[in-house]
Amino acid sequence: MITQIRGKLVEKNPTYAVVDCNGVGYLLHISLNTYSSLPNDEYVLLYTHLSIREDAHTLYGFSTKMEREVFLLLTSVSGVGPSTARTMLSSMTSKEVQQAIASEDVKLIQSVKGIGAKTAQRVIVDLKDKVLKTFDLDEVSVVQNNTNKEEALSALEVLGFVRKQADKVIGGILKETPDASVEILIKQALKKL
């Protein structure tokens, strides 16, 4: 119904934004990723999804069409509601969610608050093919990246680094050079840790 809103950003909060559109203020529920990409008080364009339930009409806002697409895919899974999908998109970028689903990374999906083991597996089973097809991901490169990442993380853990910190650093390295080998990942991570 409402697919996008363009207007002046009146209020910005980590969980919602208010956009004034011709004198009407729209409250949009947003993820942390959208929050960090919003300017402070300029004109903005947010892609939206209107969730209609018996007891509420809730408008969700996204800084990119891709984030909205991932949100809609997540909410299509039984047991994943809009608030869980928003939490997931606050914990990870839409790209990371796609990669986690495509590489069947149950642990990463399960690390999101509110998602248990069964729901994480359901997300993967229901969405893997859709994610690979819709976003044109190459399954081989996703699995290889994931294997390299896991090997590098294991090595860094053995060296005494905290997995969570190492995971962030390696994630950053993989964004810059997606096809980095295990050795390159470890060497670059050691410089940044």
Side-chain angles (χ1 to χ4, degrees):
M1 191 178 150
I2 299 172
T3 190
Q4 68 181 38
I5 288 185
R6 184 190 311 267
K8 186 169 174 48
L9 185 65
V10 188
E11 194 177 337
K12 178 177 145 180
N13 186 299
T15 56
Y16 69 87
V18 176
V19 178
D20 181 320
C21 188
N22 293 328
V24 178
Y26 291 92
L27 181 109
L28 298 114
H29 295 266
I30 58 173
S31 69
L32 283 173
N33 289 316
T34 295
Y35 171 75
S36 60
S37 70
L38 287 176
N40 284 332
D41 59 351
E42 296 173 26
Y43 281 84
V44 293
L45 168 67
L46 287 174
Y47 300 98
T48 61
H49 170 69
L50 179 62
S51 171
I52 299 176
R53 289 198 337 243
E54 202 174 289
D55 59 342
H57 289 215
T58 312
L59 198 56
Y60 292 90
F62 310 94
S63 58
T64 64
K65 283 184 178 178
M66 183 190 279
E67 186 181 22
R68 179 175 64 184
E69 194 64 36
V70 172
F71 176 85
L72 293 172
L73 281 173
L74 289 170
T75 55
S76 72
V77 176
S78 172
V80 179
S83 58
T84 304
R86 182 175 69 158
T87 303
M88 194 175 213
L89 286 166
S90 291
S91 307
M92 301 182 261
T93 65
S94 44
K95 260 271 191 277
E96 289 168 340
V97 172
Q98 292 168 35
Q99 293 286 350
I101 292 168
S103 62
E104 299 182 25
D105 194 341
V106 178
K107 281 184 182 172
L108 185 59
I109 294 170
Q110 202 178 330
S111 70
V112 175
K113 185 177 180 278
I115 294 188
K118 282 186 179 173
T119 306
Q121 288 167 342
R122 197 176 310 120
V123 166
I124 289 168
V125 169
D126 289 2
L127 300 182
K128 184 176 179 185
D129 290 340
K130 288 180 187 172
V131 165
L132 289 170
K133 203 181 301 165
T134 308
F135 300 105
D136 203 27
L137 295 175
D138 182 8
E139 196 169 359
V140 177
S141 69
V142 168
V143 172
Q144 184 195 346
N145 263 346
N146 201 34
T147 308
N148 288 353
K149 182 179 181 179
E150 283 304 315
E151 284 182 38
L153 281 173
S154 297
L156 291 167
E157 269 186 303
V158 170
L159 293 172
F161 292 100
V162 179
R163 186 176 180 92
K164 203 169 187 177
Q165 285 179 312
D167 193 23
K168 275 187 178 175
V169 171
I170 287 180
I173 295 166
L174 282 171
K175 277 182 189 168
E176 293 168 24
T177 50
D179 54 349
S181 68
V182 178
E183 294 80 22
I184 290 171
L185 285 174
I186 294 169
K187 284 178 185 175
Q188 291 193 5
L190 286 172
K191 290 176 187 172
K192 295 179 181 184
L193 284 169

